[in-house]
Amino acid sequence: MLKKTVLKALNAQINAEFFSAYMYLGMSAWCEDRNLPGFAAWMRKQFEEEQKHALKIFDYVLEQNEAVSLPPIAQPPAVYKSLQEIWEETYAHEQHVTSLIHKVYALAMKEQDFATQGLMQWYVTEQVEEEQQASAILEQVKMVGTNSSAIFFLDRHVSKSRGE
Ligand code: OFO
């Protein structure tokens, strides 16, 4: 059983994770369209990861015998000016997700909901890695700029870098 406030926050986080998945799927299409298969594969993998993040909370809510609500997922952007913009958005988005996760965690603390704190701790740790990855690739993308042969090599490197 969960407090109403916590249930509401968890359901909102499920929606936020599915939005992240949707956003990365859109970015994957953008990269594919520009012959960047490595970046497209990275984004597609991230699409899968974000769905796992959503389902982990989804399963937890059901385990607590509470109702999952699935409101519509907002439409993500489809147009980006450049590869650099994609990675700026990715980094900014992950920082935003971190702040959402911290709010849910803080709420669980306030409500003395120890089980939800345990669940959210996993996300707190995960976000450190998500932000680090996005920031590192953003720096590499900035470094190569518009040099097409460097972009070609970075595209190949990025697809191998996930190692999952
Ligand atoms: Fe990209 O992060 Fe989910 O939580």
Side-chain angles (χ1 to χ4, degrees), residues 144-156:
V144 302
T146 53
N147 179 327
S148 47
S149 42
I151 293 172
F152 176 80
F153 281 107
L154 186 56
D155 185 64
R156 293 176 66 175

Side-chain angles (χ1 to χ4, degrees), residues 13 16-17 20 24 46 49-51 53-54 57 93-94 97-98 101 122-123 126-127 130-131:
Q13 195 58 36
E17 299 293 343
S20 298
Y24 287 121
Q46 197 61 22
E49 282 297 303
E50 298 296 353
Q51 289 179 86
H53 295 175
I57 304 174
H93 181 73
E94 289 304 334
V97 171
T98 299
I101 298 281
W122 183 88
Y123 289 85
E126 176 74 7
Q127 280 310 116
E130 298 251 309
E131 281 194 34

Side-chain angles (χ1 to χ4, degrees), residues 13-37:
Q13 195 58 36
I14 293 172
N15 189 270
E17 299 293 343
F18 276 127
F19 175 77
S20 298
Y22 221 25
M23 185 192 85
Y24 287 121
L25 187 63
M27 287 176 168
S28 167
W30 188 96
C31 294
E32 197 73 63
D33 204 36
R34 274 142 193 94
N35 291 317
L36 295 167

